[in-house]
Amino acid sequence: MTCFIRYILLQVAGLRSQGMKLRHLESFLSQVDGFEAPKWGLEQYLTPPHLAARVLHCVASYDDLEGCAVADLGCGTGMLLAGAALMDCDETLSVGVDADPDALSTARGNLDKLELNFSLLQADIVVNNGLPFRRVISEGSNFDTVIMNPPFGTKNQGVDMLFVRRALAFAPIVYSLHKTSTRDFLMGCGAAGCGKHVQAEVIANMQFEIPATYSFHKQKSVNIDVDLFRFSRRNSEDMEEAITG
């Protein structure tokens, strides 16, 4: 472990009981390694540390983080879940899920480097109506909160809403980043297609800086306006449609 990382770890340990300051959380998350070879088919982009820190502070302001069992669907290399762990979610009950074994390998390295204890599971929530995901995560697994940055649906249309439906099947509260340009569509579809059983609200508007990642990217970076949605179940009935819809 480098001296700098050790310094940050010690600093974080002293702040955990006091509440994590935004700049300290962002500094810590800057140590999270990104994708070695991002896959466009999965729309893989690293959530920037400053954006992740702000998302997590929003979640914490609703008391949906400290002491909670948290899941991140499409966790990539573990940015959001690492931050959730630092802000005192229940690491022993928290899980990162991703379909990509390469991303999970990097996430495992980040977990070890940052001395975090959440679990990582490989499962695809898209194929076969999410059956591989449900087989892996349904047995005895109920989470308090899902925090995620799903694919935007640029490559695979509708996959962003599919992630939300899957998440709502396993947690009563879901925080999810989506392009602001899709806000009206997402809200108009009855909380990601879950109808009257789910309430959706935009709790923050942020900018997602995406660096040139793929061969077709012509600019050095672009800023995308994104909304942080908070989805909450109105009741626990008829949520099977959130899994299979």
Side-chain angles (χ1 to χ4, degrees), residues 14 25 36 42 45 57 64 79 81 95-96 109 120 184 197 226:
L25 180 58
E36 291 187 10
L42 298 176
Y45 296 100
H57 265 252
D64 289 328
M79 178 71 75
L81 203 52
V95 176
L120 296 171
D184 292 342
H197 305 293
V226 294

Side-chain angles (χ1 to χ4, degrees), residues 27-224:
S27 178
F28 187 90
L29 292 178
S30 69
Q31 305 306 305
V32 174
D33 293 327
F35 300 98
E36 291 187 10
K39 298 176 175 65
W40 169 234
L42 298 176
E43 297 186 50
Q44 289 178 333
Y45 296 100
L46 181 69
T47 307
H50 73 276
L51 178 61
R54 284 156 178 77
V55 166
L56 291 162
H57 265 252
C58 285
V59 176
S61 73
Y62 282 81
D63 295 324
D64 289 328
L65 193 50
E66 185 175 354
C68 294
V70 174
D72 180 358
L73 307 189
C75 66
T77 65
M79 178 71 75
L80 288 172
L81 203 52
L86 291 210
M87 295 187 72
D88 284 336
C89 74
D90 190 333
E91 290 183 51
T92 62
L93 297 178
S94 295
V95 176
V97 182
D98 205 282
D100 181 16
D102 295 328
L104 288 175
S105 178
T106 302
R108 173 63 61 183
N110 285 326
L111 183 156
D112 292 341
K113 177 175 65 175
L114 301 177
E115 301 181 0
L116 303 175
N117 298 313
F118 54 82
S119 300
L120 296 171
L121 296 174
Q122 183 180 352
D124 195 322
I125 76 166
V126 177
V127 300
N128 296 329
N129 203 26
L131 184 60
F133 166 68
R134 284 184 279 158
R135 282 176 174 169
V136 167
I137 209 167
S138 62
E139 296 181 6
S141 296
N142 287 297
F143 302 99
D144 300 305
T145 309
V146 171
I147 308 170
M148 61 184 184
N149 174 24
F152 286 145
T154 304
K155 172 68 174 176
N156 301 300
Q157 188 173 5
V159 71
D160 50 344
M161 295 172 64
L162 180 59
F163 266 71
V164 174
R165 290 198 295 271
R166 297 283 188 263
L168 283 166
F170 293 96
I173 303 293
V174 174
Y175 292 86
S176 187
L177 283 169
H178 299 271
K179 283 184 175 180
T180 300
S181 61
T182 66
R183 179 191 299 174
D184 292 342
F185 177 75
L186 194 61
M187 296 290 287
C189 284
C194 295
K196 63 182 179 180
H197 305 293
V198 176
Q199 178 179 349
E201 58 181 323
V202 176
I203 62 171
N205 181 258
M206 306 176 181
Q207 283 206 325
F208 193 141
E209 183 179 4
I210 298 179
T213 304
Y214 299 104
S215 59
F216 57 85
H217 286 165
K218 304 305 180 184
Q219 296 177 287
K220 185 176 180 179
S221 67
V222 294
N223 288 316
I224 304 294

